[in-house]
Amino acid sequence: MAPPDMKPGSLPFISMKFTVADLLEQFPPTGSLETKKLEKILKLTTKAERHALEVALQALIRLGIVENEEGAGIKRSDDQSLIEARLRCSSKGFCFALRDDGEDDIYIRDHQLNHAWNGDRVLVRITREGGRRRSPEGGVQCILERTTTSLLAHVEQQDQNIVALPLDDRILATIKLPDDDKAHLNDGEQTSVVEVKLDRYPIAQFPAEGHVARSLPLNGGPSSDRDLLLTKANLQDRAAPPRGTLKTPSSKRRKDFTSQPSLLLRSWQVSDAPPLPAVHVEPHAGGTRLWVHVPTVAERLGIGNNLDIWIKDRAEALCLGEVWHPLLSQAFSKACGFNVGEINEALSVALDITADGELTGWDFSLSTIKPVAEISPKALSALNNRKPKARTIPVALKSIKDHLAQLETLVFCARSLQTGELASGSIELNLPIPELNSLGDLSWAEPDSYRHQWTLPLNQADPHSVLSPILRAANRAWAQHAKSLQLPSIQIETLEADTSTLNDVAKCAIALDLPLELDADGCSSAAELAKAFSKVESRRVLEQQLRYALPDTTLKLDIPVSLNENNDAGIPLESDNSIQSTPQAPWCCPTLHYSDIINQQIMATLLNEGKDRPNVRQREKVDLGSSDCPTTISWPLFSGSQDKSLKALCDEKQINRLNTLRHQAQLLRQDLINMAQAREAEPLVGKEHPGVISGVQSYGFFVEIPPSMVEGLVHVSSLNDDWYEYRSRQNRLVGRKNRRVFQLGDLVNVKVLKVDVLRNQIDLEVNRSVAESQTDGELEITQESKEADINKSKQDENQTMEQLPVNLSEI
């Protein structure tokens, strides 16, 4: 579709205000759509915009993704071999397409990427089916949506061109820059990097083009480090909040809990950190009755208005350590947040919990509350260290002395809930974040704690750690309540770990003489492994291996059949209170995640607008928030339009986008922790330090150095006293002649050689002389054999296709 006067070898730039994903989203499941209607839906008004749509449609027709029906318009192809996925690449050159349907990841060879980059949403066609130990192979047919709009890079000159080389070695491309950017060429010391904005992505033989937006110093202090990592994560440009007024929560149907002495548990120290729920607990029937009061964000937000769109685009609150990039605007946070002595509206749930941590009932409600005290880490630490029969009260507890009994009951309740989770098969790993002052609010436990499918042990000195099992119980209660009433919800999906990967972890444990009971297939579950690891000295290194084997959680939709279709027959809905293994439907942290706001919208609609009786002549009303109500309801809770509006809150495209932004925020969090650890390691360069071997590969072994727990690599080429062989079954390196062994959990003294804070790469060497490990009469290792050793290790590091990893946890 190029103009006839286009010069040979040139490429016209066609700007599109929509992505391919946006375009395909408009086509109905069946039937076709006229081009004119597409232009109207996509709001294309200029000639250039309509031309861009024509070019895009012609390209999609040639690829077989859409079809042109004569006289009827354009329709989506029914080709079932095209699979939507997100591209995930590794620094070693492996690329996989992660399928939305949860099926096996598809391996993509570099020549089948078709200019797709790490993180892009793509359409993939499988070219080779997978086998027992082999992933299926495929090729990228179309890039649906680009993730990278800017990147960090070094500027270099190649021949006559000025190019940017991405620091992220998962992006297999160079970006051509204008000659004006020659001023940013490296001076050899590399004291800064540049942010490059993409002007055009690569296509055919034409490279990507961009321009330098700004230069960023590498040693500019904490503020510069945060800027670097935000840019790396493509989260640096977050728009200011739009103007708008907040809705006032309805006063109808609200329960008055203002006389209840609820407590605020808060670990975060930054003043503008997001507000969190309040809690109250009382002994009840041999167990406890626990109230969780959550800031009601949904009732104040108009769905579809400018403020809602702005919050949806942000999707996640970002903790940067000593600074927050909140999800809500400052005015919104102030309106919905709780303060001691102030009355505010809330969405609440009362949970009945047994002494064993089993959840037996619940009651959701609209409410008003008035917190009486804020519990800080200092107060919890003083309570934890206080002797049981002490008559004196520590200074840190004097301001909350009237609530000490409730606080002790609250800690007991949290411990019971966590014990109940472990009894039902949940996984607990003792892998806390290192205690570094530079981490700020990142050093505390996450109150929502559902990013991973494992939890941390209860830390009774951290208010957020006490709050975490309480919020998980409230999330499980809403998942079950929504399911019983056949309401849509967004849930946390936990994917099973690959069996072969768990077997590899079990082999690591057996190599350390840990007795394990395996089933007939030689397998052990992740929960069983975690339980076995908790009792040994080498717990940390084994739990690290297990952590890498467990896929992160994702968001998924749970949309039932229409309420009206199910209830017109007058059949009571089912209720099941045995929910220890029920998935979570998060709603307790709407100030942190947009997914929680969506679940809150559904909850608020039920409590505000749901029909609590079959008709107006019926005097007796049903409590729609009670766990018992599904057994008595035999009428539609909502009108047809209300039912449709509820389901519209949860659509597949939005969930995919939330998962993408959630993953970005998670990577940013880990990068911030890694950079803080690397900064702690910089003063250690040239010095010797003790460490623990935390991982062994054919190309070397990783060593974790306390107290920052930074991890560095001792490359096999630096072990110049012998030729070391990698024995994967025992997870160790063994010298051929001196028989020296380096294996998981070993204590070693290492010397820090180099620290790269941006790539989180720390180079180490074992600080010992060759003579210490050689015996008399042994021959020296020849230079030729050493070079062969280095070449072999490099070949192992860049594994061949015959040794491809089964899944991403191995790369």
Side-chain angles (χ1 to χ4, degrees), residues 219 436 675-689 705 708 710 751-757 762:
N219 297 299
L436 303 176
M675 180 167 277
Q677 291 176 296
R679 290 297 188 194
E680 290 287 323
E682 282 183 317
L684 307 181
V685 173
K687 299 178 182 178
E688 182 181 346
H689 299 275
I705 303 173
S708 67
V710 67
K751 183 179 180 181
V752 181
L753 300 178
K754 181 182 177 183
V755 176
D756 186 334
V757 294
I762 291 92

Side-chain angles (χ1 to χ4, degrees), residues 242-438:
R243 292 184 178 181
T245 56
L246 300 176
K247 295 168 61 178
T248 302
S250 172
S251 59
K252 294 181 179 179
R253 301 188 180 184
R254 300 202 96 86
K255 294 183 179 180
D256 187 357
F257 292 128
T258 55
S259 60
Q260 184 187 86
S262 58
L263 304 175
L264 297 171
L265 275 63
R266 186 181 181 91
S267 300
W268 292 327
Q269 306 297 308
V270 178
S271 58
D272 61 347
L276 291 172
V279 292
H280 174 72
V281 66
E282 295 175 357
H284 175 74
T288 55
R289 176 163 288 173
L290 173 69
W291 281 266
V292 182
H293 305 298
V294 181
T296 177
V297 172
E299 289 185 279
R300 291 180 165 88
L301 187 62
I303 296 298
N305 66 15
N306 289 337
L307 184 58
D308 177 47
I309 294 171
W310 178 79
I311 295 173
K312 187 188 301 182
D313 286 341
R314 294 168 81 84
E316 297 281 328
L318 303 178
C319 178
L320 308 180
E322 298 176 350
V323 175
W324 276 86
H325 282 198
L327 173 64
L328 308 181
S329 65
Q330 186 176 3
F332 203 156
S333 290
K334 185 176 180 180
C336 68
F338 302 146
N339 294 305
V340 174
E342 295 182 6
I343 297 175
N344 208 335
E345 292 85 1
L347 286 173
S348 301
V349 62
L351 306 172
D352 288 336
I353 303 165
T354 67
D356 296 328
E358 183 183 355
L359 186 57
T360 59
W362 56 84
D363 187 15
F364 292 92
S365 62
L366 307 169
S367 66
T368 53
I369 68 165
K370 184 179 179 182
V372 296
E374 182 175 299
I375 309 303
S376 66
K378 187 178 293 186
L380 269 186
S381 182
L383 181 67
N384 192 38
N385 294 328
R386 187 188 182 201
K387 294 181 180 180
K389 296 183 180 180
R391 294 185 178 182
T392 59
I393 298 177
V395 176
L397 296 176
K398 285 188 176 180
S399 61
I400 58 170
K401 63 180 181 180
D402 295 336
H403 312 294
L404 294 182
Q406 182 190 176
L407 194 53
E408 289 173 343
T409 306
L410 192 64
V411 173
F412 166 79
C413 181
R415 193 185 305 113
S416 299
L417 285 168
Q418 191 129 335
T419 301
E421 289 175 342
L422 293 175
S424 65
S426 70
I427 301 168
E428 182 179 276
L429 303 180
N430 190 19
L431 297 172
I433 295 171
E435 296 181 4
L436 303 176
N437 292 332
S438 58

